[in-house]
Amino acid sequence: MRLHEYSANGSSVATARQNLGAQPLDATSEWLSLAELAHGSERIGGAVVRSAHARKILKTISRLSPYKSTVLIHGESGTGKELVARALHTMGSAPNGPFVTFNCSNLVDSLAESQLFGHVRGAFTDAREDSLGYFRSASGGTLFLDEVGELPLHLQPKLLRALDTHEIQPVGSSRTYSVDIRLVAASNRNLHAMVKAGQFRDDLYYRLNAAAILVPPLRDRREAIPAFIAHFIEHFNRLFGKDIKLVSRTAVDALCANQWPGNVRELGHAIESAVLMTETDRIDLHDLPLRHDDANPQVLVEPVGKVLQNGGLNLEGGHNSAGIDCEKASQRCFEMATWPYSLDAVIREASKLALVRALQATQGNCHRAAELLGVSRYTVYRMLNRFGLGEGHTYRTLRKSTVRRAS
């Protein structure tokens, strides 16, 4: 069994698909089409629905959407909370009404009330004309307040009153205006903990949290990653006029193994980079901007694919171009890795061993070692730093015009 057929969390892409009742992928195929990656998924309101978590969220949305009750969406940054809010709007009773979104972290403290509720001309310095504010702009539709945990404390009672009475009073005006909106709020912070710490009003929290939706991080719904890959490739194909058709199994497994602290947003940026970098109609492991992060051991090492394939370890036996006895070397990697075997630990030891052997074979010549391994010399320098094998250089230093050679 080849190493790259398994992702770091112990499940292959084929297994993930079988868990969803889909047909397993052709185990002999090294390249997967976009249709294969997207198999078993649905596109609803711009969202990719494939995992059990996503289907549960969709079911909750369908129950809540007919009503104009306030909804609070919890989830880490980049998980797609705005997509959930848009789905609530488009599946609701007023899909043709406005969908107004505002990130509360962009509120200017001195102008926060005016930004939300509007003002009349002359209400304060530079108020040269009337302003509707976000509440009145969203009337007849949905107002999405993202990062509501950033809302200033002094403004929270006024937001609570607006939700209870469906009326707002612009700054500098004695008149109140009725607003017919559905308010959807979202936060990547623990609002309950903020209430206990006195950083968020409890009455506003309970008002917002009457109906809640939790969007889990991408690492908890890895089975959806292949469908996201297909979705983003199709999107960037259209955006950049490209025609990417295939993705290598190795690249898909690496993407499924990554921790993605930035969630779906980070995955989208990674696919965008790969689409831009590839010069063919397919994406392979070396096209991906994956990197190693010592604080996040699940992230794969960028040059691993090429190291294993070209100058590193062939786990099926025999000697490679660096003269390594691959059977003994692979056994050594497993011995050095901590039991139970972690794919990342094995890959790390394989990468380190491949680098050491390549440097030994080239008498410490980093440029020739890089050629032998099939990676750039900058990658060799970064590996030297990471494994503590030599002086090396940081990536920032390498980007400068003068590069001091490591040996």
Side-chain angles (χ1 to χ4, degrees), residues 151-157 198-201:
L151 196 68
L153 270 172
H154 70 84
L155 197 58
Q156 293 179 21
Q199 299 171 341
F200 200 85
R201 287 181 63 100

Side-chain angles (χ1 to χ4, degrees), residues 251 254-255 258 260 270 285 287-292 299-303:
L255 290 168
N258 205 322
W260 300 116
L285 181 64
D287 298 312
L288 300 174
L290 300 181
R291 65 190 185 281
H292 180 83
V299 179
L300 299 184
V301 181
E302 180 179 353

